[in-house]
Amino acid sequence: MNPIQNADLHCHSTVSDGTLSPEEVAARASANGVELWSLTDHDEIGGQARAAAAAKSCGMGYLTGTEISITFIGKTVHIVGLGFDANNADLIAGLRRTRGGRDVRAMEMSDGLAKVGIKGAYEGALKFVGNPELISRTHFARFLVESGVCRDTNEVFRRFLTEGKPGFVPHTWATLKDAVGWITGAGGMAIIAHPARYRFTPNEEYALFTEFKAHGGKGVEVVTGSHSVPEYSIYADTAREFGLAASRGSDFHSPDESHTELGTLPFLPANLTPVWEALAPRIQ
Ligand code: AMP
Ligand code: MN
Ligand code: MN
Ligand code: MN
């Protein structure tokens, strides 16, 4: 059998901030030739049974997945978990706690937007929410596009939803130690998502990778829709330097918004160990 190359191990559905159902994401991944798939909704595993069943009916391999929001030295970082037992009680409770502050945060975001003349943003964002426990900045972005305040969601983030902007509310998520612990405690693998996105200094990034490894983290995303082509090489080197396995995922959210389509990124660079090697026994 040929080794797996077209793995897409990072994407979102209506269970978090994607616009397609788990079944629709599965069908789209399969149509694009994905051999091994994982649905990694933010802070939520409520879509896993549906995703696994849909993968099976499309003939794709499946790994359970999630993308956990954490706070590391005051900044938000995302940790992807793959191949865990989705019935693990500690993981379920930890994710529920992590989701817990989102609703109050969203109301505060709405208050911030009201101060610059954008009324009813909480109610407006809620119309786009597929999972009431998972209201995110993305849903606000869709509301601001729909109401004509901005042309696209990127413009919304730039003008309203990033640090220092009127709709931004600082938030403390899970800890690195807890997120890695929940994933590995449930038999899965913890992976640093899209490291180039965080804009850390070299020392900060070194601290993240060092502490991540110390807590039992095993992988890093190298080829992701959030990285540029030069960043694939940079993080391929980082993976080798830290002895981490490498992952590949589009971070697809929506046919209208995502610049990266499911299953279409370049394959992993050579001389890396794919995360799906160690996860082979966990593939459904
Ligand atoms: P939240 O977890 O509520 O803070 O929302 C984070 C989500 O917002 C990310 O997972 C992305 O889907 C989206 N996002 C973050 N930054 C941007 C950006 N600059 N442009 C478009 N979407 C973004
Ligand atoms: Mn997202
Ligand atoms: Mn992310
Ligand atoms: Mn993501």
Side-chain angles (χ1 to χ4, degrees):
M1 219 178 91
N2 287 328
I4 291 167
Q5 288 201 292
N6 197 350
D8 194 323
L9 304 179
H10 186 151
C11 60
H12 300 272
S13 74
T14 45
V15 174
S16 63
D17 60 349
T19 62
L20 303 182
S21 67
E23 291 80 9
E24 289 168 329
V25 182
R28 202 171 173 102
S30 174
N32 289 343
V34 170
E35 303 157 271
L36 177 64
W37 177 55
S38 180
L39 177 68
T40 55
D41 279 309
H42 296 284
D43 308 324
E44 175 65 279
I45 55 176
Q48 292 304 303
R50 287 169 65 188
K56 191 171 184 182
S57 73
C58 295
M60 286 185 295
Y62 190 73
L63 285 166
T64 53
T66 187
E67 182 178 19
I68 306 181
S69 314
I70 68 151
T71 302
F72 180 76
I73 54 171
K75 291 188 182 172
T76 299
V77 167
H78 288 168
I79 302 294
V80 163
L82 296 177
F84 47 78
D85 167 11
N87 295 312
N88 182 276
D90 288 342
L91 174 64
I92 291 169
L95 292 176
R96 184 177 296 126
R97 273 206 308 283
T98 306
R99 290 194 298 274
R102 279 185 177 270
D103 201 44
V104 169
R105 171 193 186 232
M107 290 184 233
E108 290 172 5
M109 288 171 61
S110 189
D111 292 344
L113 291 168
K115 286 191 183 124
V116 294
I118 299 165
K119 304 275 187 259
Y122 178 74
E123 293 73 19
L126 270 185
K127 284 191 295 168
F128 292 90
V129 165
N131 172 359
E133 287 185 42
L134 218 115
I135 182 162
S136 88
R137 284 186 291 163
T138 314
H139 302 111
F140 280 84
R142 291 184 185 133
F143 167 66
L144 264 66
V145 172
E146 182 209 47
S147 51
V149 176
C150 294
R151 255 170 308 126
D152 57 41
T153 52
N154 280 328
E155 186 187 336
V156 183
F157 275 90
R158 202 174 59 245
R159 289 177 52 197
F160 295 103
L161 299 182
T162 40
E163 218 170 320
K165 301 297 160 67
F168 184 80
V169 173
H171 193 76
T172 303
W173 302 101
T175 64
L176 176 64
K177 181 171 187 269
D178 281 349
V180 174
W182 297 332
I183 295 162
T184 54
M189 183 189 286
I191 295 159
I192 297 177
H194 44 63
R197 281 256 297 265
Y198 309 124
R199 311 265 168 245
F200 281 135
T201 65
N203 278 346
E204 289 171 338
E205 187 175 79
Y206 185 86
L208 172 67
F209 277 80
T210 305
E211 289 186 34
F212 172 74
K213 274 206 72 156
H215 293 311
K218 299 282 187 216
V220 58
E221 287 185 346
V222 172
V223 175
T224 137
S226 300
H227 283 179
S228 65
V229 173
E231 285 163 351
Y232 300 159
S233 312
I234 292 169
Y235 289 97
D237 288 346
T238 309
R240 291 187 199 101
E241 182 190 339
F242 283 89
L244 293 170
S247 195
R248 172 181 186 263
S250 57
D251 208 354
F252 176 85
H253 282 72
S254 158
D256 303 323
E257 296 159 14
S258 292
H259 42 92
T260 309
E261 186 51 78
L262 289 151
T264 60
L265 287 172
F267 296 145
L268 285 179
N271 305 321
L272 291 177
T273 306
V275 292
W276 52 91
E277 248 177 55
L279 286 167
R282 314 288 303 180
I283 296 175
Q284 307 181 31

